[in-house]
Amino acid sequence: MGWEFWTKQLDEEELVVDGGFEDYSTTTGSSSSSSRAAGMNGTGPSNLVDPLEDPLPGVGTYEDFNTIDWVREKSKDRDRHREITNKSRQSTVALLHSISDAFSGWLLMLLVGLMAGALAGGIDIAAHWLNDMKGGVCLIGFWFNHEHCCWTSNETTFQERDRCPQWQSWAELITGTSEGAFAYVVNYLMYIFWALLFAFLAVTLVRAFAPYACGSGIPEIKTILSGFIIRGYLGKWTLIIKTITLVLAVSSGLSLGKEGPLVHVACCCANILCHLFTKYRKNEAKRREVLSAAAAVGVSVAFGAPIGGVLFSLEEVSYYFPLKTLWRSFFAALVAAFTLRSINPFGNSRLVLFYVEFHAPWKREYVFSLHLPGKSTILGHYPVIEVLVVAALTAIIAYPNSYTRMSGAELISELFNDCSLLDSSQLCGYKQPTNTSETGAGNSLADRPAGEGLYTALWQLALALVFKMMITVITFGMKVPSGLFIPSMAVGAIAGRLLGVGMEQLAYYHHDWFIFKGWCSPGADCITPGLYAMVGAAACLGGVTRMTVSLVVIMFELTGGLEYIVPLMAATMTSKWVADAFGREGIYEAHIRLNGYPFLEAKEEFEYSSLAVDVMRPRRADPALAVLTQEGMTVGEVETLVESTHYSGFPVVVSQESQRLVGFVLRRDLLISIDNARKRQEGVVSASQVVFTEHAPTQPDDAPPPLRLRGIMDLSPFTVTDHTPMDITVDIFRKLGLRQCLVTHNGRLLGIITKKDILKHMAQIANRDPESILFN
């Protein structure tokens, strides 16, 4: 069949995958319908069991660490939809069922948005509370965090707005004073104690109950959305443990964020809720549409960016993203954002802790990029010890520096801050204006010379930059929930703020230089360091993840201003180009490759001139391809063949001599059908013939009844000729999400190409170990 598939009946339903469209009119579903009719008219005993006439439990499902058959799943859904539509014309009940089936997708999106938004709100509140617990406790209620504890106090001052009698540090509780070296040591030790306790609880819970709860989850979700199956990765235990340990890991002070893992949490919610709806529970392709929308929900609640979340799902993680999924993703992200805003976890009606709003227009801002490398540690073989060592190291080094002691979100908020007359932050420690001509418009100030407070903040930030870059490389990949968004943004924001202050001082003292001439006059607000921090955060995150459009929109939704899109776009593209010079892989693609997942990256071009015959199996020195014949083999012979091999499927040919291709049958379906036939069909024994033809062959009267398995056979397997260029073959695999493709020559079967064969071939060409592709 091969190329005919690409050109037939383009007016049929199209599947949009990575921007391509393919026709699904010639699929297993349509061929199975014809085989059903043929089976009914076939000859033979009346008690024969046809697996399609009487669907068997397990047939059409997949084993763990296998790839789904997108074509079969889409065909099943189209047949189901056609059947519902036909029945809806016959009765009112069937019509109502049809309406409910159409509405079920939107209802599921509503539930996913509500559940993910509620969980994100709870995670934010709990993480904020536990993070503050490292510094002290609220006397009027231990469940209050520092900010909430001091809300009702009338004894706070403007300079020390975070100090109130209701909140006491551990030194005050233990020693009765908050001043002096001993009090500092007590607070220091308590900070380390809580950090180690939280980290230990996080890694222990992950190892004991849900090993899949570690990491950010985004690389695995990308792989799952491409059709790979990882049982339990999106299960209820993973959701429960990830939610709890995410709070603990973030609160421990480790250099990680909760934003990436929130995508995993949202996808777990979606996968669990899918089981409430039959059409999503029984169809892997339909479920992946929901998971694509859930990825958008995760980013929506992580950054308060519903539109950015939809674009993130489309650009970064989704493999199959039809138009209806775009609409439902938008709806689910909207519901999730509204739910999170209703919970109001930060008490400021904002969805994130570091929401900022600049008022000064951008001018000639300068962009830069940072690229964080991957990590590999000796301690990686001992995950609990690794987490405890890194947590202790982080706490010991971070505590003396106020900028490393605070959480990542608080640090970013501080760095994004635009100094005004009322700010008491060290970063706003400029020399005070001596006359009104140095005061800018509104509440902002013109560029001013740096004071002692700012100089202190700058060297602390410089140390924080070095520390954050080093510790983030070590932390990412440990066996606790860990996101890279916030640490990457923090590194970029620190570098951006340092650069912004440097440019500000240059503009103040040398406003007559050519780079400032014409747009920066004395007494003007020429440079906004907070804007540099924001652009730096976007540039660093873009360099690490290679996000572009979605990142710009996320940052735009964070700042609430359209006028900064141009510098953000320039920074994002520059960071991508610079990072691509070091390597084309983003952090998630590198993670997928290191884990050996069978993922065909759409961004990676196949630039080599090999042919299908160069990649297919068997090779010249290999044993002949294991095949089934359409008739003539017994149940015992089939079982022996299956048990002696580990293949996930077998081609069906006319005979061993002709090798003319008839179809393809999956190993799992074959085993389940034989097992059920032995139980349900009287007389089926090892000597019974296995038949894949429309009509059972004539047999002697004393012969056992044959086993008809035409119903589980794919009558239109994807084929290419032996001289098909591999770049075209790879394109077919990517755009159709194929598991395998058969290679023929003039209709005669030569071999088979699987996704794993392609990945091994690509790894070999790139001088990588082909055995690093671990899964089939």
Side-chain angles (χ1 to χ4, degrees):
M1 69 71 27
W3 288 106
E4 289 80 5
F5 178 82
W6 288 68
T7 55
K8 285 177 61 180
Q9 300 176 359
L10 287 178
D11 57 336
E12 291 284 320
E13 181 180 354
E14 296 168 354
L15 175 63
V16 181
V17 180
D18 287 4
F21 67 91
E22 311 302 338
D23 166 44
Y24 275 92
S25 57
T26 309
T27 64
T28 56
S30 56
S31 61
S32 298
S33 299
S34 61
S35 68
R36 180 190 293 115
M40 290 178 180
N41 297 326
T43 61
S46 59
N47 62 345
L48 293 185
V49 175
D50 191 320
L52 198 63
E53 294 174 1
D54 301 293
L56 303 176
V59 170
T61 59
Y62 306 93
E63 294 179 343
D64 201 6
F65 300 118
N66 270 267
T67 304
I68 70 168
D69 189 334
W70 284 92
V71 177
R72 182 166 71 169
E73 296 300 307
K74 292 302 295 179
S75 176
K76 281 164 53 180
D77 182 63
R78 188 166 59 248
D79 288 345
R80 183 198 62 83
H81 186 265
R82 188 181 296 119
E83 183 180 356
I84 291 175
T85 303
N86 292 336
K87 287 183 177 179
S88 66
R89 303 187 183 99
Q90 299 173 6
S91 67
T92 305
V93 175
L95 178 61
L96 293 175
H97 177 256
S98 175
I99 295 172
S100 68
D101 180 77
F103 180 70
S104 62
W106 295 99
L107 177 59
L108 178 56
M109 292 298 103
L110 175 66
L111 295 176
V112 170
L114 290 172
M115 186 174 178
L119 283 176
I123 289 170
D124 286 336
I125 293 170
H128 202 176
W129 170 59
L130 288 182
N131 188 65
D132 286 348
M133 185 179 286
K134 291 185 298 184
V137 68
C138 184
L139 299 181
I140 59 175
F142 73 92
W143 55 86
F144 288 122
N145 62 37
H146 193 169
E147 185 179 5
H148 291 173
C149 187
C150 294
W151 266 358
T152 57
S153 176
N154 296 322
E155 302 174 53
T156 55
T157 63
F158 180 76
Q159 293 296 331
E160 297 183 342
R161 64 188 76 179
D162 292 331
R163 298 284 295 275
C164 66
Q166 290 83 357
W167 179 269
Q168 289 197 356
S169 66
W170 293 110
E172 288 178 281
L173 287 173
I174 296 171
T175 67
T177 179
S178 61
E179 306 295 334
F182 183 65
Y184 181 86
V185 171
V186 170
N187 283 331
Y188 199 165
L189 293 176
M190 290 301 296
Y191 181 90
I192 296 172
F193 166 76
W194 286 112
L196 287 174
L197 177 62
F198 295 155
F200 176 74
L201 289 174
V203 69
T204 303
L205 288 172
V206 167
R207 280 180 58 81
F209 298 104
Y212 284 152
C214 66
S216 73
I218 293 179
E220 287 77 12
I221 288 169
K222 284 190 69 168
T223 308
I224 290 171
L225 289 179
S226 73
F228 196 57
I229 291 178
I230 308 178
R231 301 286 183 206
Y233 198 84
L234 302 176
K236 58 180 182 300
W237 272 111
T238 303
L239 173 62
I240 294 169
I241 298 302
K242 184 116 187 179
T243 302
I244 297 171
T245 55
L246 179 56
V247 172
L248 293 168
V250 171
S251 304
S252 69
L254 290 167
S255 184
L256 47 83
K258 61 181 183 297
E259 283 66 23
L262 279 175
V263 175
H264 188 185
V265 168
C267 286
C268 287
C269 296
N271 184 62
I272 292 168
L273 291 171
C274 276
H275 287 79
L276 302 176
F277 301 87
T278 305
K279 76 174 180 179
Y280 295 105
R281 182 175 70 249
K282 294 186 176 181
N283 193 293
E284 294 289 348
K286 295 293 291 181
R287 192 183 306 181
R288 275 153 180 77
E289 294 179 22
V290 178
L291 295 179
S292 292
V297 169
V299 173
S300 175
V301 295
F303 292 102
I307 303 174
V310 175
L311 292 176
F312 171 82
S313 178
L314 175 61
E315 176 187 4
E316 193 64 25
V317 298
S318 291
Y319 192 87
Y320 169 50
F321 206 84
L323 189 58
K324 62 180 177 182
T325 301
L326 178 70
W327 299 334
R328 290 175 178 174
S329 299
F330 182 77
F331 174 68
L334 173 66
V335 172
F338 181 79
T339 303
L340 185 60
R341 187 184 178 98
S342 302
I343 295 173
N344 195 16
F346 303 111
N348 57 4
S349 297
R350 301 295 185 188
L351 301 184
V352 288
L353 191 60
F354 47 89
Y355 180 90
V356 291
E357 193 167 354
F358 297 114
H359 301 285
W362 67 276
K363 303 179 181 71
R364 297 180 188 178
E365 309 291 353
Y366 294 85
V367 298
F368 62 95
S369 69
L370 292 167
H371 179 64
L372 297 180
K375 75 105 183 178
S376 177
T377 65
I378 298 175
L379 285 174
H381 299 291
Y382 310 97
V384 176
I385 297 175
E386 179 188 33
V387 169
L388 291 178
V389 168
V390 174
L393 185 66
T394 303
I396 291 169
I397 299 176
Y399 187 81
N401 189 335
S402 60
Y403 293 110
T404 52
R405 188 191 316 161
M406 64 178 65
S407 69
E410 290 174 329
L411 174 60
I412 294 172
S413 178
E414 181 83 359
L415 295 168
F416 282 8
N417 181 42
D418 186 17
C419 291
S420 64
L421 285 169
L422 302 178
D423 270 311
S424 58
S425 168
Q426 269 194 319
L427 285 172
C428 299
Y430 296 92
K431 292 179 180 178
Q432 293 301 316
T434 56
N435 55 67
T436 56
S437 65
E438 294 185 34
T439 303
N443 197 32
S444 63
L445 293 173
D447 291 344
R448 296 160 289 162
E452 290 185 8
L454 181 56
Y455 282 123
T456 302
L458 289 179
W459 71 258
Q460 286 182 332
L461 280 179
L463 293 175
L465 177 63
V466 175
F467 170 70
K468 282 282 186 183
M469 288 184 66
M470 295 177 63
I471 205 68
T472 298
V473 171
I474 298 172
T475 304
F476 186 70
M478 294 196 308
K479 299 303 180 184
V480 293
S482 56
L484 200 63
F485 282 12
I486 289 298
S488 301
M489 290 178 67
V491 168
I494 293 172
R497 188 79 187 204
L498 291 172
L499 180 61
V501 172
M503 293 296 296
E504 182 187 44
Q505 296 305 302
L506 273 178
Y508 180 82
Y509 288 108
H510 305 284
H511 57 267
D512 55 341
W513 283 13
F514 75 95
I515 58 173
F516 304 115
K517 214 167 204 179
W519 61 274
C520 182
S521 56
D525 184 11
C526 301
I527 303 293
T528 307
L531 182 55
Y532 273 76
M534 182 188 74
V535 173
C540 187
L541 184 56
V544 172
T545 64
R546 306 300 201 277
M547 292 163 57
T548 52
V549 179
S550 58
L551 176 58
V552 171
V553 175
I554 288 171
M555 297 303 295
F556 149 64
E557 291 185 87
L558 277 177
T559 57
L562 275 168
E563 56 187 324
Y564 306 114
I565 281 186
V566 173
L568 284 172
M569 290 173 66
T572 302
M573 285 309 303
T574 304
S575 67
K576 175 174 167 50
W577 291 333
V578 172
D580 281 346
F582 291 92
R584 298 300 296 263
E585 289 181 328
I587 189 68
Y588 302 129
E589 289 76 21
H591 192 102
I592 288 171
R593 178 175 55 79
L594 289 172
N595 282 330
Y597 295 137
F599 182 78
L600 273 174
E601 177 56 57
K603 303 171 188 174
E604 187 178 351
E605 294 293 333
F606 189 89
E607 302 172 346
Y608 308 99
S609 57
S610 50
L611 301 176
V613 71
D614 302 322
V615 181
M616 74 174 192
R617 288 178 298 152
R619 305 291 172 84
R620 287 186 176 88
D622 294 342
L625 185 66
V627 298
L628 301 172
T629 57
Q630 65 177 357
E631 58 183 41
M633 294 185 71
T634 65
V635 170
E637 290 172 340
V638 171
E639 289 178 326
T640 301
L641 177 65
V642 172
E643 290 170 3
S644 63
T645 62
H646 60 275
Y647 306 127
S648 60
F650 300 91
V652 180
V653 295
V654 173
S655 66
Q656 294 285 358
E657 294 75 26
S658 73
Q659 290 288 308
R660 295 288 177 182
L661 182 63
V662 177
F664 191 85
V665 62
L666 293 178
R667 175 197 191 96
R668 181 180 176 86
D669 293 354
L670 192 61
L671 289 173
I672 292 174
S673 298
I674 292 175
D675 184 59
N676 275 273
R678 286 185 180 274
K679 297 175 182 176
R680 297 171 56 186
Q681 185 174 333
E682 184 180 351
V684 171
V685 293
S686 295
S688 299
Q689 277 204 21
V690 176
V691 180
F692 291 98
T693 55
E694 292 186 19
H695 307 286
T698 304
Q699 293 187 349
D701 295 336
D702 58 344
L707 175 60
R708 290 169 49 199
L709 296 179
R710 185 178 178 84
I712 64 169
M713 182 173 63
D714 179 5
L715 292 173
S716 54
F718 287 89
T719 62
V720 294
T721 67
D722 50 341
H723 292 293
T724 303
M726 272 308 296
D727 56 342
I728 295 176
T729 305
V730 170
D731 223 23
I732 295 173
F733 268 82
R734 281 177 179 154
K735 293 181 178 178
L736 294 181
L738 297 186
R739 293 162 51 117
Q740 69 277 319
C741 183
L742 300 176
V743 182
T744 62
H745 179 76
N746 294 333
R748 190 170 182 270
L749 180 66
L750 292 183
I752 185 171
I753 298 176
T754 65
K755 185 188 288 188
K756 188 174 181 179
D757 294 328
I758 290 178
L759 290 167
K760 282 188 172 184
H761 181 68
M762 294 172 72
Q764 198 167 15
I765 290 176
N767 294 320
R768 298 197 304 263
D769 180 15
E771 298 305 319
S772 62
I773 311 300
L774 302 179
F775 301 107
N776 194 353

